[in-house]
């Protein structure tokens, strides 16, 4: 019941409330992004959704418009040269993810679920297939996110996503949301650049 109906209803309610409450902050961030560098406010990227259907994920643009496309930031050789000044702050605080509230309202995503893979992250998509993690809506945050985020090797990340699929419930989602807030405050698990050491 929760998995099939209630989760989506709660996603919709909390996303609309969140959009209203956060609208002053979103407006400030939009102005700062426009003042900081040339280019669009939002960054769109093709990601893998439920049942491996593609959708465009929305983020606040944190990088210059000449950044290589469809390369995860942690795989760029020198991401610092592409990240804008406001972008550095947005990424550290995870505020760049806020436009995904629109993705949730549209029905592309859920508040909690596996983080949507890039369309060309074939190894991650294949691993998730083993656990049925491609059969549910991807999330703004997830079980793997609060257990290591960018630091996790792909097989481990997919295994956490599989655990989430088995354990989906209201209380588990609530636990993940609260853990996410603490992780964001402490900026845990964020890795920038292919030359960074893994912990």
């Amino acid at each position: 019941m929760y998995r099939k109906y209630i989760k989506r209803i709660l996603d919709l309610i909390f996303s609309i409330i969140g959009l209203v409450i956060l609208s002053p902050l979103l407006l400030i961030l939009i102005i700062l992004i426009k003042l900081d560098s040339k280019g669009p406010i939002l960054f769109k990227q093709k990601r893998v959704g439920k049942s491996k259907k593609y959708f465009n994920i929305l983020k606040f643009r944190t990088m210059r418009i000449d950044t290589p496309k469809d390369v995860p930031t942690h795989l760029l050789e020198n991401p610092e040269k592409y990240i804008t000044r406001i972008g550095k702050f947005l990424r550290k605080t995870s505020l760049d993810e806020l436009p995904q509230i629109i993705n949730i309202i549209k029905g592309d995503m859920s508040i909690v679920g596996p983080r949507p893979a890039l369309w060309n992250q074939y190894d991650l998509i294949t691993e998730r297939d083993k656990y049925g993690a491609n059969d549910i809506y991807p999330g703004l945050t997830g079980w793997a996110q609060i257990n290591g985020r960018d630091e996790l090797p792909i097989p481990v990340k997919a295994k956490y996503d599989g655990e989430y699929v088995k354990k989906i419930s209201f209380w588990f989602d609530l636990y993940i949301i609260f853990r996410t807030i603490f992780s964001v405050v402490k900026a845990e698990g964020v890795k920038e650049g292919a030359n960074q050491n893994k912990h």
Side-chain angles (χ1 to χ4, degrees):
M1 185 77 171
Y2 174 76
R3 186 187 294 235
K4 205 167 183 183
Y5 303 108
I6 298 170
K7 187 171 166 67
R8 175 63 191 149
I9 293 165
L10 292 178
D11 280 341
L12 207 52
I13 292 167
F14 287 120
S15 296
I16 292 166
I17 291 169
L19 201 58
V20 173
I21 292 170
L22 294 169
S23 55
L25 172 62
L26 295 172
L27 188 61
I28 291 165
L29 294 176
I30 287 165
I31 293 166
L32 290 173
I33 291 163
K34 286 306 284 181
L35 291 174
D36 188 43
S37 64
K38 289 179 183 176
I41 294 157
L42 293 177
F43 168 71
K44 295 180 184 178
Q45 194 175 53
K46 191 161 86 169
R47 297 282 181 123
V48 179
K50 185 183 178 186
S51 305
K52 292 194 274 193
K53 288 179 182 172
Y54 296 134
F55 73 98
N56 285 319
I57 199 171
L58 301 175
K59 293 187 178 194
F60 280 130
R61 183 177 56 82
T62 61
M63 306 187 91
R64 293 187 348 226
I65 50 175
D66 60 343
T67 306
K69 289 184 178 178
D70 293 327
V71 179
T73 313
H74 64 279
L75 293 181
L76 288 172
E77 281 304 317
N78 186 13
E80 289 298 323
K81 77 173 186 178
Y82 297 111
I83 299 172
T84 62
R85 285 170 299 175
I86 184 68
K88 197 176 285 188
F89 167 74
L90 291 172
R91 295 170 82 91
K92 192 173 181 182
T93 56
S94 293
L95 290 171
D96 61 317
E97 310 282 0
L98 286 179
Q100 284 158 51
I101 293 171
I102 297 164
N103 285 121
I104 296 167
I105 292 168
K106 281 173 64 185
D108 297 325
M109 293 174 63
S110 179
I111 294 171
V112 182
R115 280 299 291 163
L118 271 165
W119 66 273
N120 59 359
Q121 285 182 293
Y122 304 115
D123 44 359
L124 177 58
I125 297 162
T126 302
E127 280 294 315
R128 282 178 170 170
D129 268 338
K130 297 176 185 177
Y131 303 102
N134 292 316
D135 301 329
I136 62 171
Y137 286 106
L140 183 62
T141 185
W143 185 227
Q145 285 292 100
I146 60 169
N147 282 290
R149 203 169 172 175
D150 294 335
E151 295 176 348
L152 293 175
I154 280 167
V156 178
K157 188 182 285 188
K159 197 173 179 184
Y160 275 121
D161 293 333
E163 280 179 20
Y164 175 72
V165 173
K166 285 182 183 174
K167 294 163 71 174
I168 291 175
S169 72
F170 172 74
W171 295 110
F172 193 42
D173 279 0
L174 203 60
Y175 172 72
I176 290 169
I177 290 165
F178 279 113
R179 278 280 306 274
T180 300
I181 293 164
F182 286 116
S183 293
V184 167
V185 169
K186 292 164 74 178
E188 288 178 348
V190 182
K191 185 155 72 74
E192 307 280 26
N195 55 354
Q196 296 277 331
N197 292 325
K198 288 187 179 181
H199 301 291

